[in-house]
Each structure stands twice: as C-alpha cells, then as structure tokens.
Amino acid sequence: MGKEVQQQIALNLLSEGTRITGDLHASNDIRIDGELKGKIFTKGRLVIGQMAKVEGEVNSPNVDILGTMEGNIVSTGTVSLRAKSVFTGTIKAAYIAIESGAVFNGECHIQREVQQK
C-alpha cells in the first residue's frame, strides 16, 4: 500500500464589506459574502453567503445561494436556493432545489446531458 495523500481544498473568499466590479475566474471553490457585479466562472462550488449581493452571470458546477442574486446561472450540477435567499433571473441546471422561504422570480430550465448506451 502507498502513502496516504491528503489533498487540501482551496477556497477563494470575498469577505463582507468587499465590493468587486468585473469578472471572476477560479478553478476552486468560491464563497462570496460581499458584493460582486460581473461574471463568475468556477470549476468548483460557488456559495453566495447570507449578506452577499451578486449581480451578473454565473457558470459553476454547483451553486448554493443564501443571499441575494440577480442574473443568470448555468450549472452542470445542482443550484440550491436556501431558505432566506432571493433570486431573480434564469437558472439552467441539471438539478434545482428551492427551500421553503426562498424567493424565486424568474425562469428555470432543467438540462441534463443524455447519455447514450
């Protein structure tokens, strides 16, 4: 047996009180607790925290919204709107979860790749 290898998960954090206008690209997970106006592209999970305000477009395999977002989301995985979240826009994802208490104003499209046998 080989040596056990631990892999550290990198997390990019935009903290509360921080405001960014522009595009954000990351290969790891992102958590936003501040404000962002622009496009977000990540190969990792995106978490929009309770105090966060995001306006723009998101492309991420998994998105968790606890705060406020206005714009469009494209996801190959799951988009979750948590209990106190507010979302306005369009969601295109393989799975969508909307908790009781979430506010959703817009359109959603379930898009899953069809696997051929």
Side-chain angles (χ1 to χ4, degrees), residues 20-24 32 35-41 53-59 69-72:
I20 290 181
T21 300
D23 298 345
L24 180 62
I32 298 175
E35 296 181 27
L36 186 138
K37 186 174 184 177
K39 297 178 183 178
I40 303 169
F41 301 94
K53 293 181 182 177
V54 174
E55 184 180 333
E57 296 181 24
V58 167
N59 190 313
M69 181 179 168
E70 183 176 335
N72 301 312

PDB file of all heavy atoms in Angstrom, residues 20-24 32 35-41 53-59 69-72:
ATOM      1  N   ILE A  20     -16.684  44.191  -5.644  1.00  0.00           N
ATOM      2  CA  ILE A  20     -15.913  43.995  -6.875  1.00  0.00           C
ATOM      3  C   ILE A  20     -16.830  44.199  -8.074  1.00  0.00           C
ATOM      4  O   ILE A  20     -17.963  43.720  -8.091  1.00  0.00           O
ATOM      5  CB  ILE A  20     -15.311  42.578  -6.953  1.00  0.00           C
ATOM      6  CG1 ILE A  20     -14.209  42.421  -5.915  1.00  0.00           C
ATOM      7  CG2 ILE A  20     -14.775  42.276  -8.337  1.00  0.00           C
ATOM      8  CD1 ILE A  20     -13.541  41.075  -5.921  1.00  0.00           C
ATOM      9  N   THR A  21     -16.322  44.913  -9.077  1.00  0.00           N
ATOM     10  CA  THR A  21     -16.988  45.026 -10.367  1.00  0.00           C
ATOM     11  C   THR A  21     -16.035  44.437 -11.393  1.00  0.00           C
ATOM     12  O   THR A  21     -14.908  44.902 -11.531  1.00  0.00           O
ATOM     13  CB  THR A  21     -17.296  46.497 -10.711  1.00  0.00           C
ATOM     14  OG1 THR A  21     -18.144  47.039  -9.692  1.00  0.00           O
ATOM     15  CG2 THR A  21     -17.997  46.601 -12.050  1.00  0.00           C
ATOM     16  N   GLY A  22     -16.486  43.378 -12.073  1.00  0.00           N
ATOM     17  CA  GLY A  22     -15.633  42.713 -13.050  1.00  0.00           C
ATOM     18  C   GLY A  22     -15.857  41.214 -13.026  1.00  0.00           C
ATOM     19  O   GLY A  22     -16.699  40.707 -12.288  1.00  0.00           O
ATOM     20  N   ASP A  23     -15.089  40.514 -13.831  1.00  0.00           N
ATOM     21  CA  ASP A  23     -15.244  39.073 -13.953  1.00  0.00           C
ATOM     22  C   ASP A  23     -14.313  38.352 -12.990  1.00  0.00           C
ATOM     23  O   ASP A  23     -13.196  38.793 -12.731  1.00  0.00           O
ATOM     24  CB  ASP A  23     -14.956  38.623 -15.383  1.00  0.00           C
ATOM     25  CG  ASP A  23     -15.938  39.227 -16.380  1.00  0.00           C
ATOM     26  OD1 ASP A  23     -16.978  39.752 -15.951  1.00  0.00           O
ATOM     27  OD2 ASP A  23     -15.663  39.155 -17.587  1.00  0.00           O
ATOM     28  N   LEU A  24     -14.802  37.216 -12.478  1.00  0.00           N
ATOM     29  CA  LEU A  24     -14.050  36.409 -11.536  1.00  0.00           C
ATOM     30  C   LEU A  24     -13.915  35.006 -12.098  1.00  0.00           C
ATOM     31  O   LEU A  24     -14.907  34.367 -12.426  1.00  0.00           O
ATOM     32  CB  LEU A  24     -14.789  36.383 -10.194  1.00  0.00           C
ATOM     33  CG  LEU A  24     -14.205  35.593  -9.046  1.00  0.00           C
ATOM     34  CD1 LEU A  24     -12.837  36.143  -8.664  1.00  0.00           C
ATOM     35  CD2 LEU A  24     -15.137  35.663  -7.851  1.00  0.00           C
ATOM     36  N   ILE A  32     -18.725  33.952  -1.529  1.00  0.00           N
ATOM     37  CA  ILE A  32     -18.890  35.404  -1.614  1.00  0.00           C
ATOM     38  C   ILE A  32     -19.776  35.860  -0.465  1.00  0.00           C
ATOM     39  O   ILE A  32     -20.907  35.392  -0.323  1.00  0.00           O
ATOM     40  CB  ILE A  32     -19.505  35.816  -2.968  1.00  0.00           C
ATOM     41  CG1 ILE A  32     -18.571  35.417  -4.106  1.00  0.00           C
ATOM     42  CG2 ILE A  32     -19.798  37.319  -2.994  1.00  0.00           C
ATOM     43  CD1 ILE A  32     -19.118  35.668  -5.484  1.00  0.00           C
ATOM     44  N   GLU A  35     -20.074  42.013  -2.143  1.00  0.00           N
ATOM     45  CA  GLU A  35     -20.870  42.365  -3.326  1.00  0.00           C
ATOM     46  C   GLU A  35     -20.032  42.165  -4.577  1.00  0.00           C
ATOM     47  O   GLU A  35     -18.856  42.530  -4.607  1.00  0.00           O
ATOM     48  CB  GLU A  35     -21.326  43.821  -3.248  1.00  0.00           C
ATOM     49  CG  GLU A  35     -22.258  44.107  -2.096  1.00  0.00           C
ATOM     50  CD  GLU A  35     -22.716  45.557  -2.048  1.00  0.00           C
ATOM     51  OE1 GLU A  35     -22.753  46.221  -3.103  1.00  0.00           O
ATOM     52  OE2 GLU A  35     -23.028  46.021  -0.940  1.00  0.00           O
ATOM     53  N   LEU A  36     -20.656  41.596  -5.603  1.00  0.00           N
ATOM     54  CA  LEU A  36     -19.969  41.395  -6.870  1.00  0.00           C
ATOM     55  C   LEU A  36     -20.925  41.705  -8.011  1.00  0.00           C
ATOM     56  O   LEU A  36     -22.067  41.255  -8.004  1.00  0.00           O
ATOM     57  CB  LEU A  36     -19.465  39.953  -7.012  1.00  0.00           C
ATOM     58  CG  LEU A  36     -18.602  39.726  -8.252  1.00  0.00           C
ATOM     59  CD1 LEU A  36     -17.409  38.860  -7.903  1.00  0.00           C
ATOM     60  CD2 LEU A  36     -19.392  39.080  -9.356  1.00  0.00           C
ATOM     61  N   LYS A  37     -20.436  42.507  -8.953  1.00  0.00           N
ATOM     62  CA  LYS A  37     -21.199  42.819 -10.160  1.00  0.00           C
ATOM     63  C   LYS A  37     -20.331  42.391 -11.334  1.00  0.00           C
ATOM     64  O   LYS A  37     -19.260  42.961 -11.555  1.00  0.00           O
ATOM     65  CB  LYS A  37     -21.514  44.307 -10.236  1.00  0.00           C
ATOM     66  CG  LYS A  37     -22.424  44.683 -11.372  1.00  0.00           C
ATOM     67  CD  LYS A  37     -22.810  46.155 -11.299  1.00  0.00           C
ATOM     68  CE  LYS A  37     -23.806  46.504 -12.391  1.00  0.00           C
ATOM     69  NZ  LYS A  37     -24.253  47.894 -12.293  1.00  0.00           N
ATOM     70  N   GLY A  38     -20.754  41.348 -12.057  1.00  0.00           N
ATOM     71  CA  GLY A  38     -19.966  40.837 -13.162  1.00  0.00           C
ATOM     72  C   GLY A  38     -20.248  39.368 -13.401  1.00  0.00           C
ATOM     73  O   GLY A  38     -21.284  38.851 -13.026  1.00  0.00           O
ATOM     74  N   LYS A  39     -19.276  38.690 -14.004  1.00  0.00           N
ATOM     75  CA  LYS A  39     -19.426  37.276 -14.330  1.00  0.00           C
ATOM     76  C   LYS A  39     -18.538  36.448 -13.419  1.00  0.00           C
ATOM     77  O   LYS A  39     -17.416  36.846 -13.104  1.00  0.00           O
ATOM     78  CB  LYS A  39     -19.040  37.016 -15.791  1.00  0.00           C
ATOM     79  CG  LYS A  39     -19.943  37.736 -16.774  1.00  0.00           C
ATOM     80  CD  LYS A  39     -19.482  37.491 -18.202  1.00  0.00           C
ATOM     81  CE  LYS A  39     -20.351  38.272 -19.177  1.00  0.00           C
ATOM     82  NZ  LYS A  39     -19.900  38.106 -20.564  1.00  0.00           N
ATOM     83  N   ILE A  40     -19.052  35.280 -13.022  1.00  0.00           N
ATOM     84  CA  ILE A  40     -18.296  34.353 -12.188  1.00  0.00           C
ATOM     85  C   ILE A  40     -18.194  33.027 -12.925  1.00  0.00           C
ATOM     86  O   ILE A  40     -19.203  32.432 -13.289  1.00  0.00           O
ATOM     87  CB  ILE A  40     -18.985  34.120 -10.830  1.00  0.00           C
ATOM     88  CG1 ILE A  40     -19.181  35.446 -10.095  1.00  0.00           C
ATOM     89  CG2 ILE A  40     -18.192  33.130  -9.995  1.00  0.00           C
ATOM     90  CD1 ILE A  40     -20.075  35.344  -8.870  1.00  0.00           C
ATOM     91  N   PHE A  41     -16.957  32.583 -13.145  1.00  0.00           N
ATOM     92  CA  PHE A  41     -16.693  31.284 -13.769  1.00  0.00           C
ATOM     93  C   PHE A  41     -15.849  30.480 -12.789  1.00  0.00           C
ATOM     94  O   PHE A  41     -14.755  30.925 -12.422  1.00  0.00           O
ATOM     95  CB  PHE A  41     -15.907  31.445 -15.077  1.00  0.00           C
ATOM     96  CG  PHE A  41     -16.593  32.282 -16.105  1.00  0.00           C
ATOM     97  CD1 PHE A  41     -16.325  33.639 -16.206  1.00  0.00           C
ATOM     98  CD2 PHE A  41     -17.516  31.722 -16.979  1.00  0.00           C
ATOM     99  CE1 PHE A  41     -16.945  34.428 -17.161  1.00  0.00           C
ATOM    100  CE2 PHE A  41     -18.140  32.507 -17.939  1.00  0.00           C
ATOM    101  CZ  PHE A  41     -17.863  33.863 -18.026  1.00  0.00           C
ATOM    102  N   LYS A  53     -24.465  40.102  -2.144  1.00  0.00           N
ATOM    103  CA  LYS A  53     -25.298  40.601  -3.232  1.00  0.00           C
ATOM    104  C   LYS A  53     -24.508  40.406  -4.516  1.00  0.00           C
ATOM    105  O   LYS A  53     -23.423  40.965  -4.664  1.00  0.00           O
ATOM    106  CB  LYS A  53     -25.647  42.069  -3.040  1.00  0.00           C
ATOM    107  CG  LYS A  53     -26.538  42.326  -1.851  1.00  0.00           C
ATOM    108  CD  LYS A  53     -26.890  43.778  -1.705  1.00  0.00           C
ATOM    109  CE  LYS A  53     -27.747  43.966  -0.465  1.00  0.00           C
ATOM    110  NZ  LYS A  53     -28.076  45.357  -0.222  1.00  0.00           N
ATOM    111  N   VAL A  54     -25.058  39.598  -5.421  1.00  0.00           N
ATOM    112  CA  VAL A  54     -24.383  39.308  -6.685  1.00  0.00           C
ATOM    113  C   VAL A  54     -25.303  39.706  -7.824  1.00  0.00           C
ATOM    114  O   VAL A  54     -26.494  39.382  -7.817  1.00  0.00           O
ATOM    115  CB  VAL A  54     -24.009  37.812  -6.793  1.00  0.00           C
ATOM    116  CG1 VAL A  54     -23.450  37.484  -8.161  1.00  0.00           C
ATOM    117  CG2 VAL A  54     -23.015  37.437  -5.700  1.00  0.00           C
ATOM    118  N   GLU A  55     -24.738  40.420  -8.796  1.00  0.00           N
ATOM    119  CA  GLU A  55     -25.479  40.808  -9.997  1.00  0.00           C
ATOM    120  C   GLU A  55     -24.628  40.420 -11.191  1.00  0.00           C
ATOM    121  O   GLU A  55     -23.502  40.882 -11.335  1.00  0.00           O
ATOM    122  CB  GLU A  55     -25.730  42.316  -9.998  1.00  0.00           C
ATOM    123  CG  GLU A  55     -26.569  42.787 -11.161  1.00  0.00           C
ATOM    124  CD  GLU A  55     -26.795  44.292 -11.144  1.00  0.00           C
ATOM    125  OE1 GLU A  55     -26.769  44.900 -10.056  1.00  0.00           O
ATOM    126  OE2 GLU A  55     -26.993  44.859 -12.245  1.00  0.00           O
ATOM    127  N   GLY A  56     -25.176  39.523 -12.038  1.00  0.00           N
ATOM    128  CA  GLY A  56     -24.422  39.125 -13.212  1.00  0.00           C
ATOM    129  C   GLY A  56     -24.708  37.698 -13.632  1.00  0.00           C
ATOM    130  O   GLY A  56     -25.795  37.187 -13.416  1.00  0.00           O
ATOM    131  N   GLU A  57     -23.681  37.061 -14.201  1.00  0.00           N
ATOM    132  CA  GLU A  57     -23.813  35.706 -14.715  1.00  0.00           C
ATOM    133  C   GLU A  57     -22.903  34.769 -13.943  1.00  0.00           C
ATOM    134  O   GLU A  57     -21.798  35.141 -13.569  1.00  0.00           O
ATOM    135  CB  GLU A  57     -23.455  35.664 -16.198  1.00  0.00           C
ATOM    136  CG  GLU A  57     -24.392  36.484 -17.061  1.00  0.00           C
ATOM    137  CD  GLU A  57     -24.028  36.419 -18.528  1.00  0.00           C
ATOM    138  OE1 GLU A  57     -23.386  35.437 -18.955  1.00  0.00           O
ATOM    139  OE2 GLU A  57     -24.375  37.351 -19.254  1.00  0.00           O
ATOM    140  N   VAL A  58     -23.396  33.538 -13.731  1.00  0.00           N
ATOM    141  CA  VAL A  58     -22.631  32.529 -13.007  1.00  0.00           C
ATOM    142  C   VAL A  58     -22.553  31.266 -13.849  1.00  0.00           C
ATOM    143  O   VAL A  58     -23.546  30.821 -14.413  1.00  0.00           O
ATOM    144  CB  VAL A  58     -23.289  32.204 -11.641  1.00  0.00           C
ATOM    145  CG1 VAL A  58     -22.688  30.950 -11.032  1.00  0.00           C
ATOM    146  CG2 VAL A  58     -23.163  33.381 -10.692  1.00  0.00           C
ATOM    147  N   ASN A  59     -21.347  30.684 -13.902  1.00  0.00           N
ATOM    148  CA  ASN A  59     -21.149  29.387 -14.527  1.00  0.00           C
ATOM    149  C   ASN A  59     -20.335  28.560 -13.534  1.00  0.00           C
ATOM    150  O   ASN A  59     -19.160  28.827 -13.324  1.00  0.00           O
ATOM    151  CB  ASN A  59     -20.421  29.520 -15.858  1.00  0.00           C
ATOM    152  CG  ASN A  59     -20.422  28.222 -16.638  1.00  0.00           C
ATOM    153  OD1 ASN A  59     -20.130  27.168 -16.091  1.00  0.00           O
ATOM    154  ND2 ASN A  59     -20.767  28.310 -17.900  1.00  0.00           N
ATOM    155  N   MET A  69     -29.203  37.329  -5.315  1.00  0.00           N
ATOM    156  CA  MET A  69     -28.574  37.302  -6.633  1.00  0.00           C
ATOM    157  C   MET A  69     -29.580  37.689  -7.696  1.00  0.00           C
ATOM    158  O   MET A  69     -30.733  37.279  -7.655  1.00  0.00           O
ATOM    159  CB  MET A  69     -28.008  35.926  -6.966  1.00  0.00           C
ATOM    160  CG  MET A  69     -27.343  35.957  -8.339  1.00  0.00           C
ATOM    161  SD  MET A  69     -26.615  34.438  -8.842  1.00  0.00           S
ATOM    162  CE  MET A  69     -26.321  34.858 -10.574  1.00  0.00           C
ATOM    163  N   GLU A  70     -29.096  38.489  -8.655  1.00  0.00           N
ATOM    164  CA  GLU A  70     -29.884  38.856  -9.821  1.00  0.00           C
ATOM    165  C   GLU A  70     -29.040  38.559 -11.045  1.00  0.00           C
ATOM    166  O   GLU A  70     -27.907  39.026 -11.155  1.00  0.00           O
ATOM    167  CB  GLU A  70     -30.234  40.346  -9.787  1.00  0.00           C
ATOM    168  CG  GLU A  70     -31.118  40.781 -10.928  1.00  0.00           C
ATOM    169  CD  GLU A  70     -31.527  42.237 -10.834  1.00  0.00           C
ATOM    170  OE1 GLU A  70     -31.542  42.797  -9.724  1.00  0.00           O
ATOM    171  OE2 GLU A  70     -31.817  42.822 -11.889  1.00  0.00           O
ATOM    172  N   GLY A  71     -29.571  37.732 -11.953  1.00  0.00           N
ATOM    173  CA  GLY A  71     -28.817  37.399 -13.156  1.00  0.00           C
ATOM    174  C   GLY A  71     -29.140  36.016 -13.670  1.00  0.00           C
ATOM    175  O   GLY A  71     -30.251  35.525 -13.486  1.00  0.00           O
ATOM    176  N   ASN A  72     -28.154  35.392 -14.285  1.00  0.00           N
ATOM    177  CA  ASN A  72     -28.343  34.085 -14.903  1.00  0.00           C
ATOM    178  C   ASN A  72     -27.328  33.094 -14.353  1.00  0.00           C
ATOM    179  O   ASN A  72     -26.168  33.441 -14.149  1.00  0.00           O
ATOM    180  CB  ASN A  72     -28.172  34.183 -16.420  1.00  0.00           C
ATOM    181  CG  ASN A  72     -29.161  35.157 -17.032  1.00  0.00           C
ATOM    182  OD1 ASN A  72     -30.344  35.113 -16.742  1.00  0.00           O
ATOM    183  ND2 ASN A  72     -28.663  36.053 -17.853  1.00  0.00           N
TER     184      ASN A  72
END
